[in-house]
Amino acid sequence: MKKQKIVYQFFRYNGKKVKAKREITFELRLSSRLLLDEICFNYNKAYLEKQINRSIDEGNKSEFLKWSKAYKTFLWE
């Protein structure tokens, strides 16, 4: 038996150009969003800890109460 050959020909399209967009997969979007959330969470937590420690060092009770109230949302871990 002879092998069959397939020949493709390219014909130029003269119509309006269409740009194709490639969608990002759901897994990649989800993992990148989770990573960004974790980075922001850790940064905000470290910032609040720094502010609490600074207010303790300065002996400023009102600042300490303000920052510790904001820090309570990070204690659910």
Side-chain angles (χ1 to χ4, degrees):
M1 246 183 131
K2 255 182 147 179
K3 288 187 176 179
Q4 294 181 355
K5 293 183 181 179
I6 299 175
V7 178
Y8 293 102
Q9 289 183 338
F10 175 72
F11 294 103
R12 186 170 294 277
Y13 177 70
N14 293 328
K16 184 179 177 183
K17 291 182 180 177
V18 178
K19 291 186 178 181
K21 292 184 179 180
R22 185 174 170 204
E23 286 193 25
I24 299 173
T25 62
F26 174 75
E27 293 84 9
L28 186 59
R29 282 187 290 165
L30 179 64
S31 62
S32 62
R33 186 174 294 154
L34 289 174
L35 180 65
L36 186 61
D37 285 346
E38 184 178 354
I39 290 170
C40 291
F41 175 82
N42 291 334
Y43 174 79
N44 291 333
K45 186 176 178 182
Y47 176 76
L48 288 174
E49 287 175 351
K50 181 177 147 188
Q51 293 297 328
I52 288 172
N53 290 335
R54 195 186 82 204
S55 64
I56 289 172
D57 292 340
E58 294 175 356
N60 193 344
K61 186 176 180 180
S62 62
E63 288 289 317
F64 172 75
L65 292 175
K66 180 179 93 171
W67 293 115
S68 63
K69 184 177 180 182
Y71 185 74
K72 284 181 183 179
T73 59
F74 290 91
L75 295 179
W76 58 269
E77 292 179 4

